[in-house]
Amino acid sequence: MNGRRTLPTCLAAAALLLAAGGVSAENAAYKCGSATYSDVACSGGQVVGPQGHRATNRSQAVPQDRATIARRATLTEEERAECRTLDVKKAEQEKELKAKGDGVTLQDEMPLVFTKKRLRELRC
């Protein structure tokens, strides 16, 4: 294809799209019955057209561990509270072990092992 032919074709297509008018949030559809839809409001009709732009807060962190959230949803409130407590305890114990460096002994690691074991038992 020739470059000279494509530019006018693209411009013509763009002009047609602008002339036809795109779908906007102002255009609404109404459900007037069980299987009847209209672009004009009807008595007892419900708006089913575009609902407008959905805003997203991008500054808020997305929960990445959805599997953990799903598992904990099945637990009782007491078990979820214990899971949260154990999460904090585990983070503190890991921080302490990291601070000790290479001088960590088996006795130093045992509290962390028990915390992880309890997390597994609860299925946190």
Side-chain angles (χ1 to χ4, degrees):
M1 225 198 279
N2 190 328
R4 292 181 182 173
R5 288 186 182 172
T6 18
L7 183 61
T9 306
C10 289
L11 289 175
L16 285 173
L17 285 174
L18 288 174
V23 176
S24 68
E26 298 163 4
N27 297 338
Y30 300 90
K31 184 173 183 180
C32 299
S34 62
T36 308
Y37 293 88
S38 173
D39 58 349
V40 180
C42 55
S43 62
Q46 297 177 345
V47 177
V48 293
Q51 302 298 319
H53 180 67
R54 199 169 86 188
T56 307
N57 185 358
R58 293 181 184 239
S59 63
Q60 187 177 9
V62 178
Q64 294 297 321
D65 199 359
R66 288 174 258 177
T68 301
I69 294 169
R71 276 194 314 271
R72 290 184 182 184
T74 62
L75 301 176
T76 64
E77 187 57 42
E78 294 83 23
E79 290 172 332
R80 279 189 290 237
E82 186 176 355
C83 287
R84 287 189 297 270
T85 304
L86 289 171
D87 283 338
V88 172
K89 187 176 179 181
K90 178 183 160 199
E92 290 172 357
Q93 291 170 342
E94 287 173 341
K95 185 177 176 183
E96 289 172 7
L97 286 177
K98 188 174 182 180
K100 289 185 180 182
D102 292 336
V104 177
T105 64
L106 183 61
Q107 294 304 320
D108 295 333
E109 291 181 352
M110 287 313 292
L112 179 61
V113 169
F114 289 128
T115 301
K116 287 182 176 181
K117 179 182 176 192
R118 182 63 184 151
L119 282 166
R120 275 192 313 274
E121 289 170 350
L122 286 173
R123 298 179 189 216
C124 295

